[in-house]
Amino acid sequence: MSLYAVLSEKGNVRFRNEDSYGVRELDGGFLMAIADGIGGEKGGKEAGQIAVDAILASVPGDIAGYDEERLQAFFDRAFVDINRKILLFALNDLRLAGMGTTLTVALVTGNKLFVAHMGDTRAYLIHRSSITRLTHDHASETKSDDGSSVSRRLLRSLGENEYLKPDFYVYNIIYGDMILLSSDGIHAYLTDDEIVKCLKERGHPDRCLKRLIEASLEAGSDDNVTALLYKAEPK
């Protein structure tokens, strides 16, 4: 069994949790995904759930045997299919026009980590006491005139009429490494060092995530907060 934990809350301000997430144990691997819906009550939650459900269901049982090139081609096709599902869903209900979602997927097979990503949800690798951001945010930030607030605008997401390929990354991992997926309700309010401090209890992913969620809310997060944490175990 894989050692992992998931925690998701709507936060202190939002009326609805539009983050979605999921995990799946594979023969010889582990899959986890996080999505942050766009569109508010007009379908953000629905778009994110469509994306997560689709990617978890589409991964074949023999995925651990895929090489890097074949894996990238698989995720390219999977994101195309998800994009189409979201567009068709919105077409069937005009109230959902503009619905969309981010999607970050992490697949662990052996000592390899594969990440497919679009949007501003993130993947991190925690190795001992260091943390490395594995994904690049597809978003721009604008500060208010007095610098008191920052607004973010997504540049790439699923649900767009013009499909954009996901970023695809490959990393090596070792026993004891931890992989974190988070929504921007967490990482927009905590520095990398603050995130690492929350993950000190390396044998207890659930306690780590509880501390991480609490820290982001204490830091003033006004968004939904979701995190998935996986610890690499010896095979």
Side-chain angles (χ1 to χ4, degrees), residues 20 29 47 59 65 78 97 141 169 202 228:
S20 298
V59 172
E141 293 188 351
Y169 308 93
R202 303 179 71 82
L228 296 82

Side-chain angles (χ1 to χ4, degrees), residues 40-106:
E41 294 181 0
K42 296 189 299 179
K45 177 64 177 182
E46 288 78 3
Q49 199 62 58
I50 288 170
V52 169
D53 289 347
I55 197 67
L56 293 181
S58 65
V59 172
D62 62 346
I63 195 79
Y66 283 29
D67 59 21
E68 180 179 331
E69 183 178 355
R70 191 178 178 193
L71 266 174
Q72 183 169 7
F74 166 77
F75 281 114
D76 283 350
R77 289 193 304 271
F79 273 58
V80 167
D81 291 341
I82 293 167
N83 196 60
R84 185 181 299 113
K85 285 177 184 289
I86 294 171
L87 288 172
L88 289 174
F89 197 88
L91 282 174
N92 290 325
D93 188 340
L94 295 181
R95 295 172 300 175
L96 303 178
M99 69 186 292
T101 187
T102 71
L103 180 62
T104 302
V105 185

Side-chain angles (χ1 to χ4, degrees), residues 16 23 48 85 102 119 135 143 173 177 217:
R16 188 185 191 203
V23 300
K85 285 177 184 289
T102 71
T135 52
K143 290 187 177 181
I173 60 172
D177 284 349
L217 295 177

Side-chain angles (χ1 to χ4, degrees), residues 45-46 49 72 86 94 115 127 131 136 145 163 175 182 205-206 213 223 227 235:
K45 177 64 177 182
E46 288 78 3
Q49 199 62 58
Q72 183 169 7
I86 294 171
L94 295 181
V115 178
H127 175 72
I131 183 171
H136 172 73
D145 292 339
Y163 173 72
Y175 165 60
S182 66
D206 52 343
I213 296 292
D223 204 346
K235 303 299 180 183

Side-chain angles (χ1 to χ4, degrees), residues 13-56:
V13 177
R14 299 295 178 93
F15 293 101
R16 188 185 191 203
N17 190 347
E18 295 183 353
D19 292 345
S20 298
Y21 60 87
V23 300
R24 180 181 164 197
E25 296 267 5
L26 303 170
D27 290 337
F30 186 79
L31 179 71
M32 57 183 183
I34 187 172
D36 185 352
I38 306 160
E41 294 181 0
K42 296 189 299 179
K45 177 64 177 182
E46 288 78 3
Q49 199 62 58
I50 288 170
V52 169
D53 289 347
I55 197 67
L56 293 181

Side-chain angles (χ1 to χ4, degrees), residues 1 7-8 11 34 51 94 97 110 118 123 127 160 165 180-181 234:
M1 291 290 291
L7 191 57
S8 182
I34 187 172
L94 295 181
M118 188 178 293
H127 175 72
E160 297 182 12
K165 289 180 63 174
L180 172 70
L181 302 187

